[in-house]
Amino acid sequence: MTSPSSTPLATPAPVLRQPAAGRDRAMLTMGLCAVTGIGFGVLTNLLQGWLPWPWSQLANSGGVWSVLAFATGAFLAPRVGDVRRIAVAGALAEIGLVVGYYGYAELGRGGMGSLVFPLVWLVMACVSGPLFGTAGAWARRSPLLWRRVGSLGAVGGLFGSEGLHSWLILGYADQAGACAVAACALPLALARTWRERGLGLAVMVVASPVAYAAVYGVLDRISG
């Protein structure tokens, strides 16, 4: 019979810590996402003057801005296993984009005007960045069909919503047509199979009016 003093104590589980090199790589990745976003924001500002009509208006587009988060997620998906980190990277890319766009407007174009819309787009970046960063990762790597199809349809639906706005509210048929081309092209170009392409287009058709009601409903309330 063993005495209480001789009973072996349970060995505590080791605390797992991320190696310093891993933390450094993660911080570098996040920094690069933010810097890329800043550069993309400056570029979209410049493209409004460089591209011919109606493509120039796509540069001034929430859909194009969200594509950056989508591309960030798709790029990081094979390299970063943690979807939460991909969501943060998408947010940083979008926040950097807003900062770059309005920073260049302030410093290179004589002023960005009121701070209301930069702040609104920053808030939207914190929502759309994680959403479309995750969507990009799902479209690239998810084994689940509904995630891949939903992601492709959602990003196409952003351009569909802008096409609806250009057609119904602004009366710009050319710009609406350019948005419609982009809305259809994304699911067709990025899907893996014809089945995914067809389903992605179907999701895009449904997502377009939903995104239109959500995004432009918010913007109309703010501007009104």
Side-chain angles (χ1 to χ4, degrees):
M1 183 174 184
T2 57
S3 63
S5 60
S6 63
T7 303
L9 299 176
T11 304
V15 178
L16 298 178
R17 293 184 174 87
Q18 187 179 12
R23 290 196 301 271
D24 291 343
R25 283 195 299 270
M27 294 298 294
L28 178 61
T29 299
M30 298 302 164
L32 287 175
C33 290
V35 171
T36 301
I38 291 172
F40 197 76
V42 173
L43 179 62
T44 55
N45 197 313
L46 292 170
L47 285 175
Q48 292 179 57
W50 293 351
L51 293 175
W53 177 270
W55 302 104
S56 59
Q57 294 307 300
L58 282 178
N60 187 26
S61 159
V64 167
W65 283 14
S66 296
V67 164
L68 177 63
F70 187 90
T72 298
F75 177 78
L76 292 178
R79 299 164 177 83
V80 178
D82 188 353
V83 71
R84 293 171 298 181
R85 201 181 302 172
I86 291 176
V88 171
L92 289 174
E94 292 295 284
I95 290 169
L97 192 154
V98 176
V99 171
Y101 181 90
Y102 284 104
Y104 182 80
E106 179 67 26
L107 301 176
R109 291 190 180 274
M112 62 181 172
S114 171
L115 284 174
V116 172
F117 276 97
L119 292 176
V120 169
W121 285 112
L122 278 175
V123 172
M124 288 189 170
C126 294
V127 177
S128 65
L131 285 177
F132 286 97
T134 302
W138 282 359
R140 177 79 182 273
R141 297 283 289 181
S142 178
L144 301 178
L145 176 65
W146 70 267
R147 284 185 174 180
R148 297 196 304 272
V149 168
S151 298
L152 295 175
V155 73
L158 286 177
F159 289 94
S161 72
E162 293 184 354
L164 289 173
H165 182 70
S166 298
W167 179 36
L168 298 174
I169 305 301
L170 302 180
Y172 295 159
D174 291 344
Q175 184 175 336
C179 291
V181 169
C184 295
L186 283 166
L188 290 175
L190 299 178
R192 303 177 185 179
T193 65
W194 284 108
R195 182 189 180 198
E196 287 187 13
R197 292 183 180 98
L199 291 172
L201 287 174
V203 173
M204 180 273 293
V205 171
V206 175
S208 295
V210 173
Y212 172 75
V215 174
Y216 290 99
V218 171
L219 292 177
D220 287 344
R221 287 185 180 183
I222 293 170
S223 60

